[in-house]
């Protein structure tokens, strides 16, 4: 019995050692992944400056300007990462790579670096009304149709899908809801052929219309060919180009990015602000002034990181406002910052606290995490509300990003996009 107990004890000790080794390996792997995620894939550097490559971990070193890969002979400064500069074959002047080495020996990661000229932007923070025309007619759902006898049916159910775009009816192109309604209304009860764009694939389906009590034919689809909403202007360049929102204009029912044909931004008047509550984000409601005299500019591009266009009229609140220099993500510090917004009907700065930055944020517009600390804003809105997207984030007199999202569980908490992600477009 004693021999058996001894064998069991030896087996237990071996398993415990193996478990200990597995824990150590898991810890090392976790630390390695954390290190990788603490170093950006890409960064911007202003020409003429030699930045301190610090990414919130012991990542410091000397950047060597050369067309070749240099042996890393420079000693690390206050850290365990060394860096060398390498010009890749065919690269344009001003682009290079930073090679990160752990303990000066083990290659960890390459960072793509783009040299840029010093840039200044006018920080906006003014409310805008946005009107965007869809390039095609979007299907947002299907519904029941009541025929002449009072019977109900849903002819398009399981034939079309939310998010489909209608390109043509019976071989004839349609670009507006009015055209679609007209072609279906006068189909004489015959099946209609719909050419759809589903994702990236064109398909064709047939739907049997129903004659309703009014004597017209319907196929029971809800469609949209335009969208309007309220947001915030982020910045204006010296050539009157602007960026806004920090995220794209999407269809609220489908959730996909609007395939835009044309659009405009307008002056808008905020009528009401509904405060955010736990589990329910707040919202700004406004009246968009669609008269031509209130039109501020064009919407030329709708992307995942904002909308872009050209101003034809400068918002009144921005007259006399000075431009600010840009600071890229590596220069952002934890601590005090401000957001500029017009939730009170007037452009103001509000205090926030930057809690962390994430160089690898999914979707590129959640790189900055912050908390609202300004008592005025907390009193008026409860924190971040819908409609504040695009409000510029400023730190130490530099534009660093824009507000994009609110924490649904806590309206005092929000996300922001790095300004360089918006400027890339």
């Amino acid at each position: 019995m004693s021999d058996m107990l001894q064998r069991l004890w030896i087996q237990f000790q071996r398993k415990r050692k193996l478990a200990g080794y597995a824990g150590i390996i898991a810890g090392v792997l976790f630390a390695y992944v954390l290190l990788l995620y603490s170093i950006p894939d890409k960064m911007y550097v202003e020409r003429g400056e030699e930045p301190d490559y610090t990414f919130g971990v012991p990542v410091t070193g000397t950047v060597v300007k050369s067309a070749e890969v240099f042996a890393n002979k420079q000693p690390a400064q206050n850290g365990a990462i060394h860096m060398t500069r390498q010009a890749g074959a065919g690269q344009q002047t001003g682009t290079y790579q930073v090679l990160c080495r752990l303990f000066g020996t083990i290659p960890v990661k390459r960072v793509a670096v783009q040299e840029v000229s010093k840039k200044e932007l006018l920080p906006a923070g003014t409310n805008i009304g946005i009107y965007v025309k869809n390039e095609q007619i979007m299907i947002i759902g299907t519904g029941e149709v009541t025929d002449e006898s009072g019977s109900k049916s849903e002819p398009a159910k399981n034939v079309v899908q939310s998010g489909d775009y209608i390109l043509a009816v019976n071989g004839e192109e349609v670009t507006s809801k009015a055209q679609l309604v007209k072609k279906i209304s006068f189909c004489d009860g015959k099946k209609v052929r719909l050419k759809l764009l589903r994702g990236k694939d064109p398909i064709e389906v047939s739907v049997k219309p129903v004659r309703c009590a009014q004597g017209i034919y319907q196929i029971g689809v809800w469609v949209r060919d335009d969208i309007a909403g309220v947001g915030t202007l982020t910045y204006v360049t010296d050539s009157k180009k602007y960026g806004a929102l920090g995220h794209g204009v999407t269809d609220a029912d489908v959730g996909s990015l609007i395939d835009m044909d044309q659009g405009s931004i307008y002056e808008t008047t905020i009528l009401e602000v509904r405060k955010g509550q736990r589990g329910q984000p707040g919202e700004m409601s406004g009246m968009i002034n669609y008269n031509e005299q209130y039109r501020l500019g064009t919407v030329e591009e709708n992307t995942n990181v904002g909308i872009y266009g050209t101003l034809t009229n400068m918002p009144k609140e921005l007259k006399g406002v000075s431009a600010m220099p840009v600071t890229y993500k590596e220069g952002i510090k934890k601590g005090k910052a401000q957001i500029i917004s017009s939730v009170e009907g007037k452009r103001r700065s509000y205090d926030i606290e930057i809690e962390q930055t994430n160089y690898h944020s999914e979707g590129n517009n959640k790189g900055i995490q912050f908390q609202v600390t300004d008592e005025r804003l907390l009193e008026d809105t409860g924190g971040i509300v819908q409609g504040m997207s695009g409000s510029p984030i400023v730190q130490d007199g530099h534009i660093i990003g824009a507000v994009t999202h609110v924490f649904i569980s806590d309206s005092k908490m929000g996300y922001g996009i790095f300004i360089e992600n918006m400027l890339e477009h």
Side-chain angles (χ1 to χ4, degrees), residues 144 169 218 240 248 315:
E144 291 183 339
V169 177
Q218 297 179 345
K240 297 296 189 294

Side-chain angles (χ1 to χ4, degrees), residues 168-205:
V169 177
N170 293 330
E172 297 182 9
E173 183 183 10
V174 290
T175 58
S176 69
K177 289 187 293 185
Q179 290 177 341
L180 176 66
V181 170
K182 183 177 180 180
K183 288 188 178 298
I184 293 174
S185 297
F186 298 100
C187 69
D188 294 328
K190 300 176 182 178
K191 277 189 176 183
V192 295
R193 290 179 293 107
L194 302 179
K195 183 179 180 181
L196 306 176
L197 184 64
R198 180 169 295 170
K200 295 182 179 180
D201 301 319
I203 62 172
E204 191 167 286
V205 299

Side-chain angles (χ1 to χ4, degrees), residues 140-401:
I140 59 175
T142 61
E144 291 183 339
V145 178
T146 304
D147 66 16
E148 293 174 302
S149 66
S151 298
K152 295 182 178 181
S153 63
E154 197 168 345
K157 185 177 181 180
N158 300 324
V159 178
V160 302
Q161 296 180 6
S162 298
D164 287 348
Y165 286 96
I166 301 177
L167 306 179
V169 177
N170 293 330
E172 297 182 9
E173 183 183 10
V174 290
T175 58
S176 69
K177 289 187 293 185
Q179 290 177 341
L180 176 66
V181 170
K182 183 177 180 180
K183 288 188 178 298
I184 293 174
S185 297
F186 298 100
C187 69
D188 294 328
K190 300 176 182 178
K191 277 189 176 183
V192 295
R193 290 179 293 107
L194 302 179
K195 183 179 180 181
L196 306 176
L197 184 64
R198 180 169 295 170
K200 295 182 179 180
D201 301 319
I203 62 172
E204 191 167 286
V205 299
S206 295
V207 183
K208 176 70 173 174
V210 173
R211 184 181 173 92
C212 65
Q214 292 77 20
I216 60 174
Y217 289 94
Q218 297 179 345
I219 60 173
V221 293
W222 296 101
V223 297
R224 178 176 292 146
D225 63 1
D226 60 5
I227 193 167
V230 174
T232 302
L233 194 66
T234 304
Y235 65 81
V236 182
T237 69
D238 55 6
S239 60
K240 297 296 189 294
K241 298 291 184 180
Y242 75 82
L245 297 187
H247 57 68
V249 177
T250 58
D251 188 281
D253 297 290
V254 179
S256 60
L257 199 68
I258 293 293
D259 191 4
M260 188 190 70
D261 179 37
Q262 58 186 356
S264 296
I265 58 172
Y266 297 85
E267 290 185 10
T268 188
T269 303
I270 300 302
L271 302 176
E272 180 186 12
V273 177
R274 178 169 55 82
K275 294 180 69 170
Q277 299 176 358
R278 187 175 182 84
Q280 185 176 6
E283 184 179 18
M284 290 195 299
S285 300
M287 179 182 68
I288 302 174
N289 301 311
Y290 286 110
N291 291 337
E292 186 62 25
Q293 68 186 94
Y294 299 111
R295 184 172 177 270
L296 296 174
T298 60
V299 180
E300 299 162 8
E301 193 176 5
N302 180 29
T303 77
N304 288 323
V305 292
I307 62 170
Y308 301 87
T310 305
L311 290 186
T312 52
N313 291 297
M314 183 68 75
K316 298 182 182 69
E317 291 182 86
L318 297 183
K319 292 180 178 177
V321 175
S322 299
M324 285 184 178
V326 166
T327 286
Y328 300 106
K329 57 177 175 274
E330 294 78 20
I332 298 174
K333 300 173 291 188
K334 291 183 180 180
K336 292 183 179 179
Q338 296 79 38
I339 59 175
I340 301 174
S341 192
S342 301
V343 292
E344 298 176 273
K346 184 178 180 181
R347 181 178 178 273
R348 295 182 183 275
S349 292
Y350 299 96
D351 292 332
I352 62 171
E353 190 85 6
I354 294 177
E355 298 195 337
Q356 69 179 53
T357 54
N358 180 3
Y359 298 144
H360 302 269
S361 60
E362 185 177 353
N364 296 322
N365 51 24
K366 290 185 178 180
I368 304 171
Q369 182 179 319
F370 64 88
Q371 178 174 344
V372 176
T373 57
D374 195 290
E375 293 298 331
R376 294 175 304 166
L377 189 58
L378 292 172
E379 176 64 26
D380 291 339
T381 67
I384 304 300
V385 297
Q386 295 177 9
M388 290 177 68
S389 293
S391 299
I393 304 176
V394 174
Q395 188 176 60
D396 298 331
H398 290 65
I399 299 178
I400 62 172

Side-chain angles (χ1 to χ4, degrees), residues 49-68:
E49 292 191 1
E50 291 292 346
D52 178 16
Y53 292 97
T54 301
F55 306 115
V57 289
V59 179
T60 58
T62 303
V63 176
V64 180
K65 297 182 179 180
S66 174
E68 301 176 0

